C-alpha cells in the first residue's frame, strides 16, 4: 500500500468505525467482530456523531458482552486516526485498568503498519501517538494523540488535562465515585 492509498483508507475509516474495527482491530491475532448486543450501542454512537458531532453514552448492560472491548475499539478509532484526541480510560481497580490498557496496546501493535500512527512511547499506562523523533517533530509532529489508562483510586483523577474521550469501566464498582466524577465530568469535552 503506498502513501496515497493509506491516506484514502484512513479517510474512509474516519467516517466508518465498523470498517476500521473489522479491518484493523485485532486481539491476539483474532479479527474484531461485533456481537448482536453491541450493534445498538454502535448505532447509538453513530447517530449521535452524525447529529451532534460527539457522543455521550451510559451503557447499562449485562456482564461479559464485550462492551469494554467495544469501548476500547472506539477509543482506538478516535485516538489512532485523528490528531489531538486524548482519551482517559478509568476502571474500578488496577487489574481491570491494566486489562483495558493491554487491549489498546494490542489494537495498536496489530494494526496494518501502513495505517498505524507513529508512536512516541508506550508506558505501563499510556500510549502516545506522535513522531518518535524529537528533532523531526516540528515538521512532522504525528497525531499528538494519546490513551491514558488509570484505576479509580486517586483523588482528582483526570484533572489538569484536556480529554476528548472518557471510558469509565465498571463505574458502578468505583469505591469513591464522587472523586472520579468530580474530575472526569468537567475534564471531558
Amino acid at each position: 500500500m503506498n502513501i496515497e492509498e493509506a491516506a484514502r483508507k484512513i479517510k474512509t475509516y474516519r467516517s466508518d468505525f465498523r470498517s476500521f474495527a473489522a479491518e484493523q482491530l485485532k486481539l491476539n491475532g483474532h479479527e474484531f467482530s461485533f456481537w448482536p448486543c453491541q450493534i445498538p450501542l454502535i448505532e447509538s454512537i453513530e447517530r449521535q456523531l452524525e447529529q451532534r458531532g460527539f457522543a455521550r453514552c451510559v451503557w447499562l448492560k449485562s456482564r461479559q458482552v464485550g462492551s469494554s472491548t467495544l469501548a476500547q475499539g472506539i477509543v482506538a478509532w478516535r485516538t489512532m486516526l485523528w490528531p489531538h484526541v486524548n482519551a482517559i480510560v478509568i476502571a474500578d481497580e488496577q487489574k481491570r485498568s491494566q486489562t483495558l490498557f493491554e487491549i489498546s496496546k494490542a489494537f495498536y501493535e496489530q494494526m496494518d503498519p501502513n495505517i498505524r500512527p507513529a508512536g512516541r512511547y508506550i508506558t505501563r499506562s499510556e500510549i502516545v501517538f506522535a513522531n518518535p523523533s524529537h528533532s523531526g517533530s516540528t515538521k512532522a509532529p504525528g497525531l499528538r494523540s494519546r490513551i491514558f489508562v488509570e484505576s479509580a483510586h486517586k483523588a482528582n483523577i483526570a484533572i489538569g488535562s484536556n480529554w476528548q474521550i472518557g471510558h469509565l469501566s465498571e463505574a458502578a464498582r468505583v469505591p469513591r465515585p464522587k472523586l472520579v466524577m468530580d474530575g472526569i465530568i468537567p475534564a471531558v469535552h
Side-chain angles (χ1 to χ4, degrees):
M1 180 181 309
N2 65 37
I3 195 162
E4 291 85 15
E5 292 169 331
R8 279 194 299 275
K9 200 72 159 160
I10 289 169
K11 184 177 180 181
T12 299
Y13 287 154
R14 283 181 175 174
S15 63
D16 188 354
F17 167 70
R18 295 183 204 208
S19 291
F20 170 76
E23 296 174 15
Q24 294 298 323
L25 300 182
K26 294 178 178 65
L27 278 176
N28 303 320
H30 299 288
E31 292 182 3
F32 195 100
S33 58
F34 299 116
W35 296 1
C37 60
Q38 294 173 328
I39 301 302
L41 304 176
I42 296 166
E43 289 171 345
S44 170
I45 289 170
E46 290 170 340
R47 195 169 35 256
Q48 289 183 59
L49 288 172
E50 185 178 319
Q51 293 171 353
R52 304 186 319 189
F54 65 93
R56 289 197 177 143
C57 304
V58 175
W59 296 346
L60 303 174
K61 46 87 182 168
S62 60
R63 304 247 333 118
Q64 301 298 312
V65 295
S67 58
S68 287
T69 304
L70 174 61
Q72 287 308 105
I74 294 165
V75 165
W77 177 53
R78 296 297 295 193
T79 59
M80 294 181 198
L81 295 181
W82 276 272
H84 306 287
V85 175
N86 297 315
I88 186 162
V89 179
I90 302 171
D92 61 320
E93 58 185 41
Q94 184 61 38
K95 183 178 178 181
R96 270 190 270 277
S97 68
Q98 192 59 42
T99 299
L100 295 172
F101 179 77
E102 292 300 324
I103 290 170
S104 291
K105 185 177 169 190
F107 285 161
Y108 176 69
E109 291 174 342
Q110 296 176 54
M111 282 178 75
D112 179 331
N114 296 299
I115 303 299
R116 182 175 51 231
R120 174 155 303 157
Y121 60 82
I122 299 175
T123 68
R124 292 184 345 174
S125 61
E126 185 175 34
I127 305 173
V128 175
F129 309 109
N131 189 332
S133 167
H134 290 286
S135 62
S137 64
T138 53
K139 289 185 179 179
L143 291 177
R144 294 183 176 169
S145 295
R146 68 183 173 140
I147 300 171
F148 179 71
V149 181
E150 184 63 85
S151 62
H153 67 281
K154 292 182 180 178
N156 301 323
I157 196 164
I159 292 176
S161 293
N162 185 5
W163 306 103
Q164 288 71 44
I165 300 173
H167 170 201
L168 280 67
S169 182
E170 302 292 345
R173 297 175 184 261
V174 169
R176 298 183 300 176
K178 184 166 176 19
L179 287 177
V180 174
M181 298 312 281
D182 285 351
I184 195 76
I185 295 300
V188 176
H189 301 281

